[in-house]
PDB file of all heavy atoms in Angstrom:
ATOM      1  N   HIS A   1     118.674 268.465 127.115  1.00  0.00           N
ATOM      2  CA  HIS A   1     118.980 268.835 125.736  1.00  0.00           C
ATOM      3  C   HIS A   1     120.308 268.292 125.230  1.00  0.00           C
ATOM      4  O   HIS A   1     120.696 268.579 124.095  1.00  0.00           O
ATOM      5  CB  HIS A   1     118.958 270.360 125.593  1.00  0.00           C
ATOM      6  CG  HIS A   1     117.613 270.959 125.858  1.00  0.00           C
ATOM      7  ND1 HIS A   1     116.605 270.974 124.918  1.00  0.00           N
ATOM      8  CD2 HIS A   1     117.107 271.558 126.965  1.00  0.00           C
ATOM      9  CE1 HIS A   1     115.542 271.563 125.423  1.00  0.00           C
ATOM     10  NE2 HIS A   1     115.818 271.930 126.670  1.00  0.00           N
ATOM     11  N   GLY A   2     121.003 267.526 126.045  1.00  0.00           N
ATOM     12  CA  GLY A   2     122.284 266.972 125.644  1.00  0.00           C
ATOM     13  C   GLY A   2     122.153 265.585 125.032  1.00  0.00           C
ATOM     14  O   GLY A   2     121.054 265.133 124.685  1.00  0.00           O
ATOM     15  N   THR A   3     123.292 264.900 124.881  1.00  0.00           N
ATOM     16  CA  THR A   3     123.321 263.571 124.271  1.00  0.00           C
ATOM     17  C   THR A   3     122.947 262.507 125.305  1.00  0.00           C
ATOM     18  O   THR A   3     123.751 261.643 125.683  1.00  0.00           O
ATOM     19  CB  THR A   3     124.711 263.283 123.661  1.00  0.00           C
ATOM     20  OG1 THR A   3     125.738 263.609 124.632  1.00  0.00           O
ATOM     21  CG2 THR A   3     124.929 264.136 122.419  1.00  0.00           C
ATOM     22  N   TYR A   4     121.718 262.571 125.750  1.00  0.00           N
ATOM     23  CA  TYR A   4     121.159 261.683 126.764  1.00  0.00           C
ATOM     24  C   TYR A   4     121.215 260.214 126.315  1.00  0.00           C
ATOM     25  O   TYR A   4     120.937 259.913 125.160  1.00  0.00           O
ATOM     26  CB  TYR A   4     119.703 262.089 127.018  1.00  0.00           C
ATOM     27  CG  TYR A   4     119.040 261.427 128.192  1.00  0.00           C
ATOM     28  CD1 TYR A   4     119.082 262.010 129.467  1.00  0.00           C
ATOM     29  CD2 TYR A   4     118.368 260.235 128.039  1.00  0.00           C
ATOM     30  CE1 TYR A   4     118.447 261.403 130.547  1.00  0.00           C
ATOM     31  CE2 TYR A   4     117.744 259.614 129.126  1.00  0.00           C
ATOM     32  CZ  TYR A   4     117.788 260.211 130.370  1.00  0.00           C
ATOM     33  OH  TYR A   4     117.162 259.618 131.449  1.00  0.00           O
ATOM     34  N   PRO A   5     121.613 259.284 127.201  1.00  0.00           N
ATOM     35  CA  PRO A   5     121.864 259.402 128.637  1.00  0.00           C
ATOM     36  C   PRO A   5     123.298 259.774 129.004  1.00  0.00           C
ATOM     37  O   PRO A   5     123.652 259.790 130.189  1.00  0.00           O
ATOM     38  CB  PRO A   5     121.540 258.004 129.153  1.00  0.00           C
ATOM     39  CG  PRO A   5     121.985 257.107 128.034  1.00  0.00           C
ATOM     40  CD  PRO A   5     121.660 257.855 126.764  1.00  0.00           C
ATOM     41  N   PHE A   6     124.133 260.047 127.994  1.00  0.00           N
ATOM     42  CA  PHE A   6     125.546 260.361 128.252  1.00  0.00           C
ATOM     43  C   PHE A   6     125.701 261.854 128.553  1.00  0.00           C
ATOM     44  O   PHE A   6     126.326 262.615 127.802  1.00  0.00           O
ATOM     45  CB  PHE A   6     126.396 259.933 127.047  1.00  0.00           C
ATOM     46  CG  PHE A   6     126.252 258.475 126.714  1.00  0.00           C
ATOM     47  CD1 PHE A   6     125.335 258.052 125.758  1.00  0.00           C
ATOM     48  CD2 PHE A   6     127.001 257.521 127.372  1.00  0.00           C
ATOM     49  CE1 PHE A   6     125.183 256.704 125.449  1.00  0.00           C
ATOM     50  CE2 PHE A   6     126.853 256.174 127.075  1.00  0.00           C
ATOM     51  CZ  PHE A   6     125.942 255.766 126.122  1.00  0.00           C
ATOM     52  N   VAL A   7     125.105 262.252 129.673  1.00  0.00           N
ATOM     53  CA  VAL A   7     125.033 263.657 130.056  1.00  0.00           C
ATOM     54  C   VAL A   7     125.336 263.787 131.545  1.00  0.00           C
ATOM     55  O   VAL A   7     125.507 262.793 132.248  1.00  0.00           O
ATOM     56  CB  VAL A   7     123.636 264.240 129.753  1.00  0.00           C
ATOM     57  CG1 VAL A   7     123.391 264.308 128.255  1.00  0.00           C
ATOM     58  CG2 VAL A   7     122.536 263.407 130.435  1.00  0.00           C
ATOM     59  N   THR A   8     125.386 265.011 132.022  1.00  0.00           N
ATOM     60  CA  THR A   8     125.503 265.247 133.451  1.00  0.00           C
ATOM     61  C   THR A   8     124.106 265.207 134.068  1.00  0.00           C
ATOM     62  O   THR A   8     123.113 264.987 133.373  1.00  0.00           O
ATOM     63  CB  THR A   8     126.220 266.581 133.731  1.00  0.00           C
ATOM     64  OG1 THR A   8     126.602 266.654 135.106  1.00  0.00           O
ATOM     65  CG2 THR A   8     125.346 267.781 133.374  1.00  0.00           C
ATOM     66  N   SER A   9     124.005 265.440 135.374  1.00  0.00           N
ATOM     67  CA  SER A   9     122.727 265.274 136.071  1.00  0.00           C
ATOM     68  C   SER A   9     122.011 266.589 136.336  1.00  0.00           C
ATOM     69  O   SER A   9     121.031 266.628 137.075  1.00  0.00           O
ATOM     70  CB  SER A   9     122.949 264.544 137.398  1.00  0.00           C
ATOM     71  OG  SER A   9     123.508 263.269 137.175  1.00  0.00           O
ATOM     72  N   SER A  10     122.483 267.656 135.737  1.00  0.00           N
ATOM     73  CA  SER A  10     121.855 268.955 135.933  1.00  0.00           C
ATOM     74  C   SER A  10     121.582 269.612 134.596  1.00  0.00           C
ATOM     75  O   SER A  10     122.045 269.161 133.548  1.00  0.00           O
ATOM     76  CB  SER A  10     122.753 269.870 136.789  1.00  0.00           C
ATOM     77  OG  SER A  10     123.995 270.116 136.136  1.00  0.00           O
ATOM     78  N   ASN A  11     120.824 270.696 134.632  1.00  0.00           N
ATOM     79  CA  ASN A  11     120.612 271.512 133.447  1.00  0.00           C
ATOM     80  C   ASN A  11     121.763 272.489 133.295  1.00  0.00           C
ATOM     81  O   ASN A  11     122.039 273.277 134.203  1.00  0.00           O
ATOM     82  CB  ASN A  11     119.294 272.259 133.524  1.00  0.00           C
ATOM     83  CG  ASN A  11     118.097 271.346 133.349  1.00  0.00           C
ATOM     84  OD1 ASN A  11     117.360 271.079 134.291  1.00  0.00           O
ATOM     85  ND2 ASN A  11     117.880 270.864 132.145  1.00  0.00           N
ATOM     86  N   THR A  12     122.444 272.442 132.164  1.00  0.00           N
ATOM     87  CA  THR A  12     123.617 273.271 131.924  1.00  0.00           C
ATOM     88  C   THR A  12     123.328 274.468 131.027  1.00  0.00           C
ATOM     89  O   THR A  12     124.236 275.234 130.698  1.00  0.00           O
ATOM     90  CB  THR A  12     124.741 272.428 131.287  1.00  0.00           C
ATOM     91  OG1 THR A  12     124.273 271.895 130.030  1.00  0.00           O
ATOM     92  CG2 THR A  12     125.143 271.268 132.192  1.00  0.00           C
ATOM     93  N   LEU A  13     122.071 274.634 130.622  1.00  0.00           N
ATOM     94  CA  LEU A  13     121.707 275.750 129.765  1.00  0.00           C
ATOM     95  C   LEU A  13     121.820 277.088 130.506  1.00  0.00           C
ATOM     96  O   LEU A  13     121.701 277.141 131.730  1.00  0.00           O
ATOM     97  CB  LEU A  13     120.282 275.582 129.240  1.00  0.00           C
ATOM     98  CG  LEU A  13     120.130 274.924 127.873  1.00  0.00           C
ATOM     99  CD1 LEU A  13     120.569 273.473 127.937  1.00  0.00           C
ATOM    100  CD2 LEU A  13     118.670 274.996 127.386  1.00  0.00           C
ATOM    101  N   PRO A  14     122.011 278.178 129.778  1.00  0.00           N
ATOM    102  CA  PRO A  14     122.078 279.502 130.422  1.00  0.00           C
ATOM    103  C   PRO A  14     120.855 279.839 131.264  1.00  0.00           C
ATOM    104  O   PRO A  14     120.968 280.580 132.245  1.00  0.00           O
ATOM    105  CB  PRO A  14     122.213 280.453 129.232  1.00  0.00           C
ATOM    106  CG  PRO A  14     122.777 279.635 128.127  1.00  0.00           C
ATOM    107  CD  PRO A  14     122.256 278.249 128.327  1.00  0.00           C
ATOM    108  N   ALA A  15     119.688 279.309 130.883  1.00  0.00           N
ATOM    109  CA  ALA A  15     118.471 279.576 131.653  1.00  0.00           C
ATOM    110  C   ALA A  15     118.605 279.127 133.107  1.00  0.00           C
ATOM    111  O   ALA A  15     117.941 279.667 134.001  1.00  0.00           O
ATOM    112  CB  ALA A  15     117.278 278.888 131.000  1.00  0.00           C
ATOM    113  N   MET A  16     119.483 278.156 133.347  1.00  0.00           N
ATOM    114  CA  MET A  16     119.695 277.656 134.703  1.00  0.00           C
ATOM    115  C   MET A  16     120.343 278.707 135.600  1.00  0.00           C
ATOM    116  O   MET A  16     120.285 278.600 136.823  1.00  0.00           O
ATOM    117  CB  MET A  16     120.560 276.387 134.662  1.00  0.00           C
ATOM    118  CG  MET A  16     120.713 275.668 135.983  1.00  0.00           C
ATOM    119  SD  MET A  16     119.152 275.004 136.604  1.00  0.00           S
ATOM    120  CE  MET A  16     119.672 274.448 138.244  1.00  0.00           C
ATOM    121  N   ALA A  17     120.950 279.726 135.009  1.00  0.00           N
ATOM    122  CA  ALA A  17     121.552 280.802 135.803  1.00  0.00           C
ATOM    123  C   ALA A  17     120.502 281.482 136.674  1.00  0.00           C
ATOM    124  O   ALA A  17     120.795 281.910 137.790  1.00  0.00           O
ATOM    125  CB  ALA A  17     122.239 281.825 134.904  1.00  0.00           C
ATOM    126  N   ALA A  18     119.287 281.583 136.163  1.00  0.00           N
ATOM    127  CA  ALA A  18     118.193 282.164 136.939  1.00  0.00           C
ATOM    128  C   ALA A  18     117.669 281.162 137.968  1.00  0.00           C
ATOM    129  O   ALA A  18     117.569 281.465 139.160  1.00  0.00           O
ATOM    130  CB  ALA A  18     117.073 282.620 136.005  1.00  0.00           C
ATOM    131  N   THR A  19     117.359 279.959 137.523  1.00  0.00           N
ATOM    132  CA  THR A  19     116.815 278.930 138.407  1.00  0.00           C
ATOM    133  C   THR A  19     117.805 278.543 139.499  1.00  0.00           C
ATOM    134  O   THR A  19     117.426 278.322 140.643  1.00  0.00           O
ATOM    135  CB  THR A  19     116.434 277.680 137.587  1.00  0.00           C
ATOM    136  OG1 THR A  19     115.591 278.051 136.505  1.00  0.00           O
ATOM    137  CG2 THR A  19     115.723 276.663 138.455  1.00  0.00           C
ATOM    138  N   GLY A  20     119.078 278.459 139.135  1.00  0.00           N
ATOM    139  CA  GLY A  20     120.094 277.989 140.063  1.00  0.00           C
ATOM    140  C   GLY A  20     120.641 279.026 141.007  1.00  0.00           C
ATOM    141  O   GLY A  20     121.563 278.741 141.784  1.00  0.00           O
ATOM    142  N   THR A  21     120.076 280.250 140.980  1.00  0.00           N
ATOM    143  CA  THR A  21     120.531 281.308 141.881  1.00  0.00           C
ATOM    144  C   THR A  21     119.398 282.081 142.538  1.00  0.00           C
ATOM    145  O   THR A  21     119.574 282.646 143.615  1.00  0.00           O
ATOM    146  CB  THR A  21     121.420 282.323 141.147  1.00  0.00           C
ATOM    147  OG1 THR A  21     120.654 282.988 140.117  1.00  0.00           O
ATOM    148  CG2 THR A  21     122.632 281.642 140.532  1.00  0.00           C
ATOM    149  N   GLY A  22     118.246 282.129 141.867  1.00  0.00           N
ATOM    150  CA  GLY A  22     117.132 282.915 142.371  1.00  0.00           C
ATOM    151  C   GLY A  22     117.084 284.331 141.837  1.00  0.00           C
ATOM    152  O   GLY A  22     116.265 285.132 142.263  1.00  0.00           O
ATOM    153  N   LEU A  23     117.961 284.643 140.892  1.00  0.00           N
ATOM    154  CA  LEU A  23     117.896 285.941 140.238  1.00  0.00           C
ATOM    155  C   LEU A  23     116.955 285.835 139.037  1.00  0.00           C
ATOM    156  O   LEU A  23     117.031 284.888 138.266  1.00  0.00           O
ATOM    157  CB  LEU A  23     119.279 286.396 139.773  1.00  0.00           C
ATOM    158  CG  LEU A  23     119.342 287.818 139.188  1.00  0.00           C
ATOM    159  CD1 LEU A  23     119.179 288.853 140.290  1.00  0.00           C
ATOM    160  CD2 LEU A  23     120.650 288.041 138.438  1.00  0.00           C
ATOM    161  N   GLY A  24     116.078 286.802 138.876  1.00  0.00           N
ATOM    162  CA  GLY A  24     115.116 286.741 137.785  1.00  0.00           C
ATOM    163  C   GLY A  24     115.774 286.736 136.419  1.00  0.00           C
ATOM    164  O   GLY A  24     116.802 287.396 136.213  1.00  0.00           O
TER     165      GLY A  24
END
């Protein structure tokens, strides 16, 4: 959702807090 391709290599959205930790 960023200014691709000038972005980082991960998802930085708040939704990643669940995916990136395993908390629902």
Side-chain angles (χ1 to χ4, degrees):
H1 297 280
T3 48
Y4 190 91
F6 303 94
V7 293
T8 193
S9 300
S10 62
N11 288 109
T12 60
L13 266 67
M16 187 65 187
T19 308
T21 63
L23 186 72

